[in-house]
PDB file of all heavy atoms in Angstrom:
ATOM      1  N   ARG A 204      22.053  16.025   1.926  1.00 98.00           N
ATOM      2  CA  ARG A 204      21.842  16.165   3.370  1.00 98.00           C
ATOM      3  C   ARG A 204      20.496  15.550   3.796  1.00 98.00           C
ATOM      4  O   ARG A 204      20.414  14.831   4.790  1.00 98.00           O
ATOM      5  CB  ARG A 204      21.888  17.650   3.741  1.00 98.00           C
ATOM      6  CG  ARG A 204      21.664  17.947   5.196  1.00 98.00           C
ATOM      7  CD  ARG A 204      22.906  17.626   6.027  1.00 98.00           C
ATOM      8  NE  ARG A 204      22.708  17.955   7.433  1.00 98.00           N
ATOM      9  CZ  ARG A 204      22.797  17.072   8.436  1.00 98.00           C
ATOM     10  NH1 ARG A 204      23.119  15.810   8.186  1.00 98.00           N
ATOM     11  NH2 ARG A 204      22.606  17.438   9.670  1.00 98.00           N
ATOM     12  N   LEU A 205      19.451  15.841   3.013  1.00 98.00           N
ATOM     13  CA  LEU A 205      18.115  15.320   3.339  1.00 98.00           C
ATOM     14  C   LEU A 205      18.100  13.796   3.263  1.00 98.00           C
ATOM     15  O   LEU A 205      17.521  13.129   4.130  1.00 98.00           O
ATOM     16  CB  LEU A 205      17.066  15.917   2.388  1.00 98.00           C
ATOM     17  CG  LEU A 205      16.798  17.412   2.556  1.00 98.00           C
ATOM     18  CD1 LEU A 205      15.988  17.950   1.374  1.00 98.00           C
ATOM     19  CD2 LEU A 205      16.089  17.693   3.871  1.00 98.00           C
ATOM     20  N   ALA A 206      18.732  13.246   2.233  1.00 98.00           N
ATOM     21  CA  ALA A 206      18.783  11.788   2.075  1.00 98.00           C
ATOM     22  C   ALA A 206      19.506  11.161   3.266  1.00 98.00           C
ATOM     23  O   ALA A 206      19.082  10.123   3.790  1.00 98.00           O
ATOM     24  CB  ALA A 206      19.484  11.428   0.769  1.00 98.00           C
ATOM     25  N   GLN A 207      20.573  11.805   3.702  1.00 98.00           N
ATOM     26  CA  GLN A 207      21.361  11.309   4.840  1.00 98.00           C
ATOM     27  C   GLN A 207      20.512  11.326   6.118  1.00 98.00           C
ATOM     28  O   GLN A 207      20.456  10.343   6.846  1.00 98.00           O
ATOM     29  CB  GLN A 207      22.604  12.204   4.994  1.00 98.00           C
ATOM     30  CG  GLN A 207      23.496  11.838   6.145  1.00 98.00           C
ATOM     31  CD  GLN A 207      24.432  12.989   6.533  1.00 98.00           C
ATOM     32  OE1 GLN A 207      24.174  14.161   6.232  1.00 98.00           O
ATOM     33  NE2 GLN A 207      25.511  12.650   7.187  1.00 98.00           N
ATOM     34  N   VAL A 208      19.812  12.439   6.370  1.00 98.00           N
ATOM     35  CA  VAL A 208      19.005  12.558   7.591  1.00 98.00           C
ATOM     36  C   VAL A 208      17.839  11.569   7.570  1.00 98.00           C
ATOM     37  O   VAL A 208      17.507  10.952   8.579  1.00 98.00           O
ATOM     38  CB  VAL A 208      18.482  14.006   7.754  1.00 98.00           C
ATOM     39  CG1 VAL A 208      17.505  14.109   8.917  1.00 98.00           C
ATOM     40  CG2 VAL A 208      19.643  14.978   7.950  1.00 98.00           C
ATOM     41  N   MET A 209      17.213  11.388   6.401  1.00 98.00           N
ATOM     42  CA  MET A 209      16.058  10.484   6.296  1.00 98.00           C
ATOM     43  C   MET A 209      16.479   9.030   6.085  1.00 98.00           C
ATOM     44  O   MET A 209      15.645   8.136   6.087  1.00 98.00           O
ATOM     45  CB  MET A 209      15.143  10.932   5.148  1.00 98.00           C
ATOM     46  CG  MET A 209      14.440  12.241   5.451  1.00 98.00           C
ATOM     47  SD  MET A 209      13.176  12.648   4.204  1.00 98.00           S
ATOM     48  CE  MET A 209      14.215  13.288   2.927  1.00 98.00           C
ATOM     49  N   ASN A 210      17.795   8.835   5.880  1.00 98.00           N
ATOM     50  CA  ASN A 210      18.356   7.497   5.662  1.00 98.00           C
ATOM     51  C   ASN A 210      17.702   6.813   4.452  1.00 98.00           C
ATOM     52  O   ASN A 210      17.284   5.652   4.533  1.00 98.00           O
ATOM     53  CB  ASN A 210      18.213   6.661   6.945  1.00 98.00           C
ATOM     54  CG  ASN A 210      19.101   5.438   6.923  1.00 98.00           C
ATOM     55  OD1 ASN A 210      20.130   5.422   6.221  1.00 98.00           O
ATOM     56  ND2 ASN A 210      18.719   4.403   7.657  1.00 98.00           N
ATOM     57  N   ILE A 211      17.590   7.548   3.357  1.00 98.00           N
ATOM     58  CA  ILE A 211      17.083   6.991   2.101  1.00 98.00           C
ATOM     59  C   ILE A 211      18.047   7.369   0.970  1.00 98.00           C
ATOM     60  O   ILE A 211      18.913   8.237   1.150  1.00 98.00           O
ATOM     61  CB  ILE A 211      15.640   7.467   1.758  1.00 98.00           C
ATOM     62  CG1 ILE A 211      15.533   8.994   1.726  1.00 98.00           C
ATOM     63  CG2 ILE A 211      14.632   6.876   2.732  1.00 98.00           C
ATOM     64  CD1 ILE A 211      14.149   9.512   1.320  1.00 98.00           C
ATOM     65  N   ASP A 212      17.884   6.724  -0.162  1.00 98.00           N
ATOM     66  CA  ASP A 212      18.759   6.980  -1.299  1.00 98.00           C
ATOM     67  C   ASP A 212      18.538   8.404  -1.821  1.00 98.00           C
ATOM     68  O   ASP A 212      17.404   8.896  -1.831  1.00 98.00           O
ATOM     69  CB  ASP A 212      18.432   5.963  -2.407  1.00 98.00           C
ATOM     70  CG  ASP A 212      19.534   5.893  -3.432  1.00 98.00           C
ATOM     71  OD1 ASP A 212      19.561   6.764  -4.333  1.00 98.00           O
ATOM     72  OD2 ASP A 212      20.372   4.985  -3.313  1.00 98.00           O
ATOM     73  N   ILE A 213      19.598   9.031  -2.272  1.00 98.00           N
ATOM     74  CA  ILE A 213      19.483  10.392  -2.802  1.00 98.00           C
ATOM     75  C   ILE A 213      18.537  10.441  -4.012  1.00 98.00           C
ATOM     76  O   ILE A 213      17.888  11.459  -4.268  1.00 98.00           O
ATOM     77  CB  ILE A 213      20.885  10.975  -3.150  1.00 98.00           C
ATOM     78  CG1 ILE A 213      20.776  12.474  -3.457  1.00 98.00           C
ATOM     79  CG2 ILE A 213      21.543  10.199  -4.282  1.00 98.00           C
ATOM     80  CD1 ILE A 213      22.081  13.217  -3.489  1.00 98.00           C
ATOM     81  N   ASP A 214      18.428   9.319  -4.689  1.00 98.00           N
ATOM     82  CA  ASP A 214      17.526   9.236  -5.839  1.00 98.00           C
ATOM     83  C   ASP A 214      16.052   9.341  -5.425  1.00 98.00           C
ATOM     84  O   ASP A 214      15.183   9.574  -6.269  1.00 98.00           O
ATOM     85  CB  ASP A 214      17.767   7.910  -6.582  1.00 98.00           C
ATOM     86  CG  ASP A 214      17.106   7.898  -7.945  1.00 98.00           C
ATOM     87  OD1 ASP A 214      17.307   8.881  -8.688  1.00 98.00           O
ATOM     88  OD2 ASP A 214      16.386   6.932  -8.254  1.00 98.00           O
ATOM     89  N   ALA A 215      15.773   9.188  -4.144  1.00 98.00           N
ATOM     90  CA  ALA A 215      14.395   9.285  -3.643  1.00 98.00           C
ATOM     91  C   ALA A 215      14.075  10.694  -3.133  1.00 98.00           C
ATOM     92  O   ALA A 215      12.990  10.938  -2.596  1.00 98.00           O
ATOM     93  CB  ALA A 215      14.181   8.264  -2.532  1.00 98.00           C
ATOM     94  N   VAL A 216      15.021  11.617  -3.272  1.00 98.00           N
ATOM     95  CA  VAL A 216      14.839  12.978  -2.750  1.00 98.00           C
ATOM     96  C   VAL A 216      14.988  14.000  -3.867  1.00 98.00           C
ATOM     97  O   VAL A 216      16.067  14.132  -4.456  1.00 98.00           O
ATOM     98  CB  VAL A 216      15.872  13.301  -1.640  1.00 98.00           C
ATOM     99  CG1 VAL A 216      15.619  14.688  -1.065  1.00 98.00           C
ATOM    100  CG2 VAL A 216      15.838  12.249  -0.545  1.00 98.00           C
ATOM    101  N   SER A 217      13.908  14.714  -4.144  1.00 98.00           N
ATOM    102  CA  SER A 217      13.934  15.744  -5.176  1.00 98.00           C
ATOM    103  C   SER A 217      13.687  17.114  -4.545  1.00 98.00           C
ATOM    104  O   SER A 217      12.792  17.260  -3.708  1.00 98.00           O
ATOM    105  CB  SER A 217      12.855  15.430  -6.220  1.00 98.00           C
ATOM    106  OG  SER A 217      12.584  16.566  -7.001  1.00 98.00           O
ATOM    107  N   VAL A 218      14.507  18.087  -4.916  1.00 98.00           N
ATOM    108  CA  VAL A 218      14.332  19.475  -4.464  1.00 98.00           C
ATOM    109  C   VAL A 218      14.374  20.368  -5.694  1.00 98.00           C
ATOM    110  O   VAL A 218      15.310  20.269  -6.497  1.00 98.00           O
ATOM    111  CB  VAL A 218      15.452  19.896  -3.478  1.00 98.00           C
ATOM    112  CG1 VAL A 218      15.290  21.366  -3.084  1.00 98.00           C
ATOM    113  CG2 VAL A 218      15.471  19.011  -2.241  1.00 98.00           C
ATOM    114  N   LYS A 219      13.373  21.206  -5.837  1.00 98.00           N
ATOM    115  CA  LYS A 219      13.347  22.142  -6.957  1.00 98.00           C
ATOM    116  C   LYS A 219      13.231  23.557  -6.404  1.00 98.00           C
ATOM    117  O   LYS A 219      12.677  23.745  -5.326  1.00 98.00           O
ATOM    118  CB  LYS A 219      12.155  21.823  -7.879  1.00 98.00           C
ATOM    119  CG  LYS A 219      12.118  20.338  -8.299  1.00 98.00           C
ATOM    120  CD  LYS A 219      11.087  20.026  -9.361  1.00 98.00           C
ATOM    121  CE  LYS A 219       9.669  20.162  -8.879  1.00 98.00           C
ATOM    122  NZ  LYS A 219       9.302  19.148  -7.861  1.00 98.00           N
ATOM    123  N   ALA A 220      13.734  24.513  -7.135  1.00 98.00           N
ATOM    124  CA  ALA A 220      13.641  25.908  -6.685  1.00 98.00           C
ATOM    125  C   ALA A 220      12.972  26.736  -7.769  1.00 98.00           C
ATOM    126  O   ALA A 220      13.229  26.542  -8.961  1.00 98.00           O
ATOM    127  CB  ALA A 220      15.026  26.458  -6.380  1.00 98.00           C
ATOM    128  N   LYS A 221      12.074  27.621  -7.339  1.00 97.00           N
ATOM    129  CA  LYS A 221      11.372  28.503  -8.265  1.00 97.00           C
ATOM    130  C   LYS A 221      11.402  29.924  -7.728  1.00 97.00           C
ATOM    131  O   LYS A 221      11.376  30.125  -6.516  1.00 97.00           O
ATOM    132  CB  LYS A 221       9.878  28.133  -8.354  1.00 97.00           C
ATOM    133  CG  LYS A 221       9.561  26.708  -8.690  1.00 97.00           C
ATOM    134  CD  LYS A 221       9.742  26.409 -10.140  1.00 97.00           C
ATOM    135  CE  LYS A 221       8.622  27.041 -10.968  1.00 97.00           C
ATOM    136  NZ  LYS A 221       8.801  26.720 -12.401  1.00 97.00           N
TER     137      LYS A 221
END
Side-chain angles (χ1 to χ4, degrees):
R204 179 76 178 121
L205 292 167
Q207 179 199 21
V208 173
M209 291 188 281
N210 196 25
I211 55 177
D212 197 278
I213 190 166
D214 193 49
V216 183
S217 163
V218 177
K219 308 188 292 293
K221 306 283 287 181

